[in-house]
Amino acid sequence: MTTTGTPSVQESGVSKCYEFIDFRAAADHQHLAPIVEQIITGMTTLSELPGGSTKYRSLPALLLYDNAGLELFDRITYLPEYYLTDCEIDVLHTQIDSIVAQIPSNSDVIELGCGSLRKTQILLDALNRQRSGVTYYAIDVMPGPLRDSMESLAPRFGNVSFVGLCGTYDEVLGYFGKSSRRKTLLWLGSSIGNYSCQEATEFLTKVSDIMSVNDSVIIGMDRQKSPEVIMAAYHDSQGVTNEFKINELKHANRLFAEPGALTSVFDVDKFCYVGEYEEDIGRRNAFLEALEDTLVRWPLEIKDRVKELCGNSGDILINRGERIYVESSYKYGDGSASALARSTGLIHLAQWQDSRDYYMLNLFRKPPTTMSPPRAMESSSFDKWSKPTHRTQQSDLGSQYPTIPTLPEWQHLWSSWDTLVLHIIPRRCLHDQPIDLRHPFIFYLGHVPAFADIHMAAAEILPLTEPQSYALWFERGIDPNIEDPSICHSHSEVPKEWPLLDDILAYRDRVRMRFTNWLDAYERGGRRAEADAARHVWMAFEHEALHFETLLYMVLQMKPGDIQPPIESSFAPLGGRQPRESWIRYSGGSDLVFGLAGDNESEMQGQLPSGHVFGWDNESPQIRISLEPFSIRSQPITNGEYLAFLQAISSESVDSLVPQSWISLDQEPALSSDYGVRTVVGTPSITTTEAAMWPVCVSQKQANAYAKWSGKRLPTEAEWIHASRTYHLARAQATGNRKAEFTECETIDGFLDLTNTGSMLQQPYDMFVPSDANIDLASWHPQPVAGDGATFIGSAWEWTSTPFYPHDGFKPSAMYPGYSADFFDSISDQDSTHYVVQGGSYATHRRLAHRQTFRNWYQRGYPYVLATFRLIE
């Protein structure tokens, strides 16, 4: 790296300084420039585009952006067909105050690929007026245009410091790795669209690595829209885009040119620019097509290096009609930004759109933790429903997850747990008991490691971790009957005083080290996994994941001022009416299969079978149920709809129906005029913010009251599972010509033809849950219900009308015999206590939310859980 100093710039007689740092690698006359080697490799290698089957030679897209290319692209941004720039400026002008509100004073703003800064100056002007101590960093590969931009802008914004960083992203981003200042990265335009799903995920992961907690990145994304609009934007009537693409060949020729050379590598006049749009993927592709047969001729001076790179230094024949791939531009659909966040460990916090809904800016923020390791996007498309084609064609899908949770999975879960118990809950509140029917928080800090240690000791056939007395105090908590708290299952003895926090944490660390050593030996192949030992380890993992959610809904009952938010957040203003109520029809059927097969704990002996899926005892055995035709609401009931219900009924019955998930914002003794929804990042208003569109969290009694008022009912467990898994599979298969068929189908299960796809529905994991599902701490609060389509998984569990009964043939777990059996209601009871909930909340681990055989349950009158409901008619 060479630094060119801090030159003084004079403009209009006003002195202004900016810093310029050149990160470009020093010239190496012994080797070819990296971009030249990329040209050689691309032209001598045939590769498929993601999700495609045709193979192409290629040129690096970076070739487009030399000085001539930048000038041509700037001209493109003023063309009437090229909607992107006008749409982005529209967003910046109309939403600038909301955007700047996310950028604190005394922080760094870092723009990736700043170009001419035409749009960025709108943001700089607002920062200059509304903030202080902001340093703006502009990154670009071309030093001349970058200097010109710095010299033009720096004198105009006296409250902003300017630094120009010349180099590629890989060369520059490490510069910020050790910065302690808050950072907001800008990736404006639609540059992310030039990256495939995998490439975008990999790049944003690199960006995330230099970010600290609460750092942000704002990314511009072009939305999916009419193919005609998209194609016109890249094929303008003046031919500027054609000139821009052809300049790539001219730039390549200039890179290879030697003084006195008589020939060029590419015969530019023998190529033209062509494009295509793949609507299923949402991808516009650009190519250079040969108008006639032509040769690519390597200069004599580099032929030895060409041979080293590709094994042959001969000229390359490009046949007439052959296409050289230049670049793609991916378009983003609904949920795409959220899906991208989940694959990179970021949280998608806000979205700002232009007036035509063509373009959006998205705010992502770095959280303190993620519940699971980020998982790379597997698809060629950013569509939230998109899945690899082979998944919809295979009848034996197998398991989506390793049977034994991996060490990275454990580490992410531990990090999430520690964030909740040691950051969100202040230490002074750890002995608080916000829900009378539960132990104080301090119990759960000991309960989770004690339960895990009991099972690890059984797995290893070794003694408990010291102090062994913790197993007596912390093994099992309390869950008394809310109608009569004297009725309670067996539980651990309660000590006169709980152990000191530091002692509990030291015990936790010893237990975690025990698991780390076991998992490390297993994953390195040094430990043979017996089925029983593996089940003990799996059980400890899911137990901790379940208790994360238990503790979270307890935290939500604290005084809001006592909660320490894990991340800075904001809530969008209420922008419209409630989604239009819509219904999905199902034909039902006979002999539909539910439950988990092949997981008989008592019959599993010896080594763990490959690909086995564990489940809790109430998930087995498989059962068959017949369903009559039914229609189910596509979305759960929202906070706004539930508030309207309360306002419509008799005031005498209101008190018992106000959700515990709400808190009054006006302190009225009767029905409040406004409520906030309890979250760990604030209490957003139901009447003025997006919280009106979130699923309402209520008890089953409250859900039933709403259903009765509306003349509908809650779904049974079987109806809910059938609706969810069938919709997900059908939506994933509704591609190409089948999209219209899916939209017009009378019943979802009729669209599928269950004779051919029924086996997919019986798999333990629902592998077609949309990739933007709000689970696994993708957000620290619910998200608005979708305006179209259906949402079954995420934000909140969903109540059913099914009492928590065992499957026929149920056998209690020998390892944890009371897990289910202590809570089953007698089938002869006229008024059951516990009812099944299905789906998953924003705090549900993805292993649980994706396993469609998992059954959760709560007491019907329990008002604190993250559970909503939808209706059947």
Side-chain angles (χ1 to χ4, degrees), residues 279-281 731-742:
E279 189 172 3
D280 271 358
I281 295 177
R731 187 62 185 79
Q733 290 191 339
T735 58
N737 294 332
R738 299 208 74 195
K739 279 188 176 180
E741 183 185 343
F742 174 79

Side-chain angles (χ1 to χ4, degrees), residues 393-431:
Q393 297 173 343
Q394 290 179 343
S395 59
D396 181 16
L397 296 177
S399 174
Q400 199 177 38
Y401 297 99
T403 305
I404 301 174
T406 64
L407 183 56
E409 284 184 280
W410 276 96
Q411 290 167 336
H412 277 259
L413 182 58
W414 289 336
S415 177
S416 299
W417 178 262
D418 291 347
T419 297
L420 181 58
V421 300
L422 299 177
H423 175 83
I424 295 175
I425 306 172
R427 288 202 172 201
R428 59 182 169 79
C429 296
L430 285 174
H431 284 81

Side-chain angles (χ1 to χ4, degrees), residues 642 698-708 714 799 869 871:
Y642 195 85
V698 293
S699 71
Q700 207 247 18
K701 282 186 175 181
Q702 292 166 334
N704 267 322
Y706 185 102
K708 183 179 179 180
L714 302 185
W799 286 107
F869 66 101
L871 303 175

Side-chain angles (χ1 to χ4, degrees), residues 220-361:
M221 296 177 180
D222 192 10
R223 292 179 61 84
Q224 294 178 8
K225 60 187 72 66
S226 162
E228 290 75 20
V229 172
I230 291 171
M231 288 301 288
Y234 297 96
H235 297 269
D236 63 278
S237 57
Q238 299 179 36
V240 183
T241 307
N242 180 75
E243 189 178 351
F244 173 60
K245 302 299 182 185
I246 293 296
N247 179 69
E248 183 168 31
L249 297 178
K250 296 178 181 179
H251 184 192
N253 284 341
R254 288 192 289 272
L255 290 173
F256 285 102
E258 293 289 336
L262 299 178
T263 60
S264 298
V265 173
F266 294 94
D267 191 338
V268 175
D269 293 336
K270 293 183 179 179
F271 288 90
C272 69
Y273 157 61
V274 295
E276 64 181 17
Y277 182 63
E278 299 175 88
E279 189 172 3
D280 271 358
I281 295 177
R283 178 174 65 198
R284 195 276 315 178
N285 302 316
F287 303 92
L288 294 171
E289 184 176 297
L291 297 169
E292 58 184 271
D293 291 355
T294 182
L295 290 175
V296 175
R297 299 181 174 90
W298 305 120
L300 180 64
E301 295 80 4
I302 68 167
K303 287 204 170 191
D304 288 344
R305 181 56 180 154
V306 172
K307 189 172 184 179
E308 286 179 27
L309 289 171
C310 58
N312 188 338
S313 62
D315 295 342
I316 300 171
L317 173 64
I318 306 296
N319 294 305
R320 178 185 176 184
E322 182 178 344
R323 292 181 172 185
I324 300 171
Y325 171 71
V326 174
E327 66 171 349
S328 292
S329 181
Y330 287 82
K331 311 304 175 185
Y332 282 72
D334 293 333
S336 298
S338 296
L340 183 61
R342 285 148 180 70
S343 67
T344 55
L346 300 172
I347 286 181
H348 182 218
L349 277 184
Q351 181 173 298
W352 302 285
Q353 296 174 193
D354 73 295
S355 56
R356 288 188 286 179
D357 201 18
Y358 277 11
Y359 179 87
M360 56 186 173
L361 289 176

Side-chain angles (χ1 to χ4, degrees), residues 75-87:
R75 286 174 56 194
I76 289 172
T77 65
Y78 288 92
L79 297 172
E81 300 96 333
Y82 193 78
Y83 59 84
L84 280 133
T85 303
D86 285 344
C87 290

Side-chain angles (χ1 to χ4, degrees), residues 494-573:
V494 178
K496 293 181 179 180
E497 289 186 358
W498 297 109
L500 296 175
L501 174 61
D502 288 344
D503 292 341
I504 294 175
L505 295 180
Y507 171 73
R508 175 207 66 184
D509 291 343
R510 290 193 292 272
V511 173
R512 286 181 178 177
M513 183 54 66
R514 188 172 188 175
F515 271 80
T516 299
N517 292 338
W518 191 96
L519 291 162
D520 186 57
Y522 168 72
E523 292 175 2
R524 287 188 292 104
R527 183 186 299 278
R528 183 173 180 266
E530 299 291 333
D532 278 358
R535 187 184 296 273
H536 278 297
V537 175
W538 163 85
M539 192 174 285
F541 182 90
E542 292 211 349
H543 173 267
E544 183 160 349
L546 287 166
H547 270 290
F548 179 91
E549 195 159 351
T550 301
L551 207 68
L552 180 62
Y553 73 64
M554 290 173 59
V555 168
L556 296 181
Q557 296 304 312
M558 295 172 62
K559 295 177 181 178
D562 286 341
I563 297 173
Q564 298 180 153
I567 187 172
E568 289 186 13
S569 193
S570 60
F571 305 100

Side-chain angles (χ1 to χ4, degrees), residues 582-619:
S582 61
W583 299 81
I584 309 172
R585 295 180 59 196
Y586 293 83
S587 56
S590 59
D591 262 1
L592 300 176
V593 178
F594 299 89
L596 184 61
D599 188 43
N600 191 316
E601 182 182 321
S602 62
E603 295 179 1
M604 287 186 65
Q605 304 294 328
Q607 191 166 7
L608 178 67
S610 175
H612 184 75
V613 177
F614 286 129
W616 296 93
D617 55 11
N618 64 63
E619 298 176 48

